[in-house]
Amino acid sequence: MPAKRPYVSPLRQQAAARTRAEILRCATELFAARGYGRVTVADIASASGVSAKTIFASVGSKGDILNEIVDQGVVASDYEKTMQHVLALRSPEAVLEALARGTRTGNEGQFQIHEAIRAALPVHENGEALWERATSAYREALRTAARHLHTLTPAPDRPEEETADLLWFWFGPTGWRTLVRENGWPWERAEAFLLHTSVATLLGRTPTPEDQPSE
């Protein structure tokens, strides 16, 4: 007689997924606000409205939760879609405008996740590896954009590797955070400034009104 398959309730699965999402959301907010080292599993459970036992059963330890947040941030950044658009563009000005807009959208939408990860770095057992995992795909995407820029006319008048470094300096998460979080700039102003700076530096000219980001 064949063994019976265990019954799986779709409603129960949906409820579990919602609980998991809420745990990760609350943990992200707490890590970003207080710092990873100052948040306990009990704090996350209280904010999520569940028990500590549910936290461990649904996601795992505090370290497991942080790993999930990192993976969530990489997936939610949607960098692959931005890069598909970038690589289809045939003018360097359009590429830089797309990078300014795309990285703004990603950083603005994932700001709390980035802050939660940053807050964990000083106390994490391997903070350097954590940051590398969180940003490696992002940085490689900007390297790809640099290679594409050097196939266009006019190409940047500097080595390709330096172009990639500058794109990371301007459009990487630290550049956005410096302007928006540390200096209090609105996202729109930061986008316009980074676009202006990249066009002036890489292409040797001042952007025209057509280059400026439109809402």
Side-chain angles (χ1 to χ4, degrees):
M1 183 176 180
K4 291 184 177 180
R5 292 183 179 180
Y7 173 70
V8 178
S9 167
L11 291 178
R12 185 171 295 175
Q13 286 184 322
Q14 291 171 10
R18 287 194 297 269
T19 297
R20 182 183 180 85
E22 181 65 7
I23 290 168
L24 292 173
R25 185 188 69 79
C26 292
T28 299
E29 291 181 353
L30 289 170
F31 290 163
R34 300 184 195 173
Y36 176 79
R38 296 182 178 181
V39 175
T40 66
V41 170
D43 293 330
I44 299 170
S46 177
S48 306
V50 299
S51 67
K53 183 178 179 180
T54 299
I55 297 283
F56 285 108
S58 179
V59 187
S61 67
K62 193 170 77 166
D64 293 330
I65 292 171
L66 181 61
N67 285 331
E68 287 285 339
I69 289 170
V70 171
D71 293 339
Q72 185 184 73
V74 172
V75 172
S77 66
D78 204 20
Y79 70 91
E80 290 181 342
K81 183 178 179 181
T82 296
M83 287 309 301
Q84 287 175 359
H85 174 57
V86 166
L87 295 178
L89 298 171
R90 305 312 303 169
S91 79
E93 293 91 343
V95 167
L96 293 172
E97 182 175 359
L99 288 176
R101 174 52 56 87
T103 57
R104 170 194 167 175
T105 299
N107 279 273
E108 188 173 8
Q110 300 301 310
F111 191 72
Q112 272 202 323
I113 289 178
H114 291 171
E115 288 297 285
I117 296 169
R118 283 181 182 278
L121 298 180
V123 296
H124 193 272
E125 59 188 13
N126 199 345
E128 185 176 344
L130 181 71
W131 185 245
E132 173 67 19
R133 186 158 64 89
T135 61
S136 60
Y138 187 168
R139 185 155 194 170
E140 183 55 36
L142 291 179
R143 288 194 186 102
T144 300
R147 287 194 292 272
H148 181 55
L149 278 169
H150 279 264
T151 69
L152 304 178
T153 302
D157 60 350
R158 59 195 66 243
E160 182 182 303
E161 184 178 349
E162 185 176 322
T163 298
D165 290 342
L166 288 171
L167 292 182
W168 181 249
F169 177 70
W170 293 318
F171 299 126
T174 300
W176 286 105
R177 187 180 191 277
T178 297
L179 293 177
V180 174
R181 177 62 180 266
E182 296 180 9
N183 294 312
W185 285 28
W187 287 95
E188 182 179 1
R189 180 186 175 193
E191 180 185 347
F193 172 78
L194 292 172
L195 173 59
H196 181 284
T197 303
S198 63
V199 170
T201 304
L202 295 179
L203 306 180
R205 72 172 184 82
T206 301
T208 64
E210 288 75 16
D211 295 323
Q212 300 303 316
S214 56
E215 292 300 319

